[in-house]
Amino acid sequence: MNCSYCFYLRKAELYPWADHPKLSLETLELFSRQYVEGFAPPYGIAWQGGEPTMMGLSFYSKVIELQKRLRGEYSHRPSFSNSIQTNGTLINDDWARFFRAERFLVGISIDGPPEMHDTLRVDWKDRPSHGRVMDGVEHLRSRGVEFNVLTVVNSRNVEHPEEVFRWLVRQGFEHLQFIPCAEPPPGHAFIDDYESLPPGSITPAQYGRFLTGLFDAWVKIGIDKVRVRWFDNLVQMLWGQGSEMCELATECGYVVLENNGDCYPCDFFVENDWRLGNVHDSTLAEMMAGGKFRSFASMKGDLHPDCLSCEWRSLCQGECPRYRITNEGFAEGALPYFCPSFKEFFGSKYRRLEQLAVSAGRAMSFPVPAGRIAPAERTAKRLVRGAPLEARGAAGGGAVAPGVDSGVKKVGRNDQCPCGSGRKYKRCHGGQ
């Protein structure tokens, strides 16, 4: 694929494609052993690219063999969960059978109906891809493979939130994720002129309208019928649970493994300045204990003064550092590019979001206090399923039961996910 808005195409400057570099099983085994030996379970691997299916099905069959072998070698019998993000164009019945047999969670990238998707998501011969993506989806469905859908909010679909959402729902897609596209023009470190945005990128005003329109469409169709990851996370946070989306968490950072063993703290930050090391030279534990990773993890907490006084801070958390760089050229103490978008959304929809969190939480036996309560207060209380509600004062303060901050009865991997999807936590928010 040659998607117009793909930020990862520029990584060819670091990892030239001329020789078609591929991750070797030897490097993967070294990485996996360091992962198992240096960290506690669960062990989650997210396969991305470019396009990860280009590695071929035989490669992933060998990956599963490696993971099973490692499970037998270590006393704590480590198991791996695998997810894969794909454009779907190469998926056939063989892939689908493999994904089902090995319990891969599949993410399919699709930007809406053909007229919206095919504008920016074409191949290197400038051919549309929508039909091939939907063919791949049908193979997944025929084999009962669990999958969700990732939609990039871009210049072609941003003004049509309800149309995009309803089209996705009509296809039977029940687990949706939306991410906004905002890339600086070539040769620029940040966006300083909305008139010269590169293909696909959107403005904060556009994204604010998209979020509010999407929320209205989600509520209209029924929040129990379709899962929207960003909204689910906000509801979860209003129950006092942590966000599993890094952009809404207080800290961010994971490990990206490149084909030669180089590691980085985020796929947005595959840059020389943020190279953590190489698994052939040092261990994952050493990299993550090092100053560079700690510096990256703490970077998100360095907020702009406006963020520190913002009533939506506990929900936004200053958003992704990459979008701060997109906005101002640096991350520390900068406002995120989509700050106006979030202010528009929360300013108009927080009360309705709060009501949904209360009703959904109580239906799942979380002691969610009713009434108008500031997001900072709601997110500060870790609620425990089944705990009784305390009597509320006349002012509507809504204290929750003693001990709910203790962390007892945390959601286990085999418990039902608190988002309300009906799936086990490890196969829903616990596995993403």
Side-chain angles (χ1 to χ4, degrees):
M1 294 287 290
N2 183 27
C3 303
S4 301
Y5 51 60
C6 181
F7 74 92
Y8 220 76
L9 292 176
R10 294 194 300 274
K11 305 309 176 185
E13 298 170 3
L14 287 175
Y15 302 97
W17 299 345
D19 297 328
H20 305 288
K22 293 183 178 181
L23 175 67
S24 70
L25 287 169
E26 291 75 21
T27 297
L28 177 63
E29 179 170 353
L30 184 58
F31 174 90
S32 301
R33 288 186 181 279
Q34 292 178 8
Y35 190 10
V36 169
E37 293 170 2
F39 302 91
Y43 303 105
I45 305 290
W47 298 95
Q48 302 191 66
E51 173 48 43
T53 57
M54 290 179 67
M55 288 294 289
L57 187 52
S58 62
F59 171 80
Y60 290 97
S61 297
K62 293 174 183 176
V63 167
I64 295 300
E65 292 175 5
L66 168 62
Q67 292 178 351
K68 290 179 178 178
R69 176 159 54 84
L70 293 177
R71 181 172 174 78
E73 289 184 18
Y74 289 89
S75 60
H76 67 293
R77 296 185 59 76
S79 61
F80 295 83
S81 63
N82 293 283
S83 60
I84 188 167
Q85 186 64 42
T86 170
N87 60 42
T89 60
L90 299 181
I91 294 178
N92 55 22
D93 188 59
D94 290 337
W95 277 107
R97 284 190 288 110
F98 173 80
F99 289 147
R100 176 59 189 266
E102 304 303 338
R103 295 174 57 81
F104 270 61
L105 176 62
V106 179
I108 295 289
S109 298
I110 189 165
D111 288 353
E115 63 273 17
M116 297 183 188
H117 176 96
D118 285 334
T119 302
L120 300 170
R121 297 187 67 85
V122 296
D123 65 17
W124 287 89
K125 294 183 178 180
D126 206 33
R127 296 175 300 191
S129 63
H130 193 277
R132 283 174 283 166
V133 178
M134 293 303 291
D135 288 344
V137 167
E138 290 309 310
H139 284 298
L140 296 178
R141 282 177 165 157
S142 70
R143 292 294 178 179
V145 178
E146 287 190 69
F147 71 94
N148 53 38
V149 167
L150 171 64
T151 296
V152 176
V153 183
N154 58 71
S155 55
R156 182 61 184 87
N157 60 20
V158 69
E159 300 293 355
H160 309 281
E162 184 168 1
E163 182 181 347
V164 172
F165 181 76
R166 289 192 172 277
W167 183 87
L168 294 170
V169 171
R170 285 197 301 272
Q171 311 316 305
F173 301 147
E174 298 177 346
H175 299 270
L176 310 179
Q177 181 181 356
F178 298 85
I179 58 173
C181 178
E183 289 295 314
H188 292 255
F190 60 98
I191 297 174
D192 58 357
D193 180 9
Y194 296 156
E195 299 300 321
S196 59
L197 291 174
S201 290
I202 60 177
T203 69
Q206 287 178 314
Y207 191 48
R209 292 193 297 270
F210 183 89
L211 288 175
T212 55
L214 180 68
F215 182 80
D216 289 341
W218 180 57
V219 172
K220 189 182 302 182
I221 207 165
I223 69 168
D224 58 332
K225 296 179 181 178
V226 182
R227 310 257 46 96
V228 178
R229 191 181 183 200
W230 196 67
F231 297 148
D232 282 353
N233 269 257
L234 292 174
V235 168
Q236 184 172 306
M237 292 164 73
L238 292 174
W239 295 344
Q241 311 295 321
S243 166
E244 50 80 30
M245 294 179 67
C246 54
E247 57 264 45
L248 298 179
T250 55
E251 289 187 352
C252 55
Y254 46 94
V255 174
V256 173
L257 174 69
E258 284 290 347
N259 67 85
N260 67 342
D262 286 346
C263 293
Y264 299 86
C266 172
D267 56 355
F268 276 137
F269 290 85
V270 176
E271 302 167 351
N272 281 325
D273 289 346
W274 286 110
R275 181 179 175 274
L276 301 175
N278 188 292
V279 294
H280 293 280
D281 303 321
S282 54
T283 68
L284 285 175
E286 290 170 341
M287 291 184 222
M288 295 192 72
K292 188 168 289 188
F293 188 88
R294 293 200 306 271
S295 176
F296 183 88
S298 64
M299 179 170 61
K300 187 171 185 181
D302 190 349
L303 299 176
H304 189 279
D306 289 357
C307 293
L308 296 175
S309 60
C310 181
E311 62 180 314
W312 314 121
R313 172 188 169 186
S314 65
L315 294 174
C316 167
Q317 299 294 351
E319 230 259 332
C320 175
R322 169 53 60 184
Y323 291 127
R324 299 187 204 169
I325 295 173
T326 299
N327 192 41
E328 300 192 37
F330 54 92
E332 294 87 346
L335 285 172
Y337 181 76
F338 291 114
C339 176
S341 317
F342 302 137
K343 285 186 174 180
E344 177 179 345
F345 173 76
F346 290 123
S348 62
K349 300 301 177 183
Y350 174 73
R351 177 56 182 154
R352 183 66 178 120
L353 181 71
E354 182 181 39
Q355 292 170 342
L356 294 174
V358 171
S359 59
R362 290 191 168 196
M364 297 181 67
S365 300
F366 280 96
V368 188
R372 293 176 179 265
I373 301 175
E377 184 177 347
R378 284 198 179 277
T379 56
K381 298 291 185 181
R382 175 173 287 277
L383 306 181
V384 178
R385 183 180 294 153
L389 284 165
E390 280 188 345
R392 295 175 60 243
V400 295
V404 298
D405 292 325
S406 65
V408 296
K409 295 179 66 176
K410 290 182 179 179
V411 180
R413 297 191 73 236
N414 290 308
D415 291 343
Q416 188 181 70
C417 186
C419 77
S421 67
R423 301 161 73 193
K424 289 183 178 180
Y425 180 63
K426 67 182 180 182
R427 302 300 294 173
C428 193
H429 285 91
Q432 295 183 9

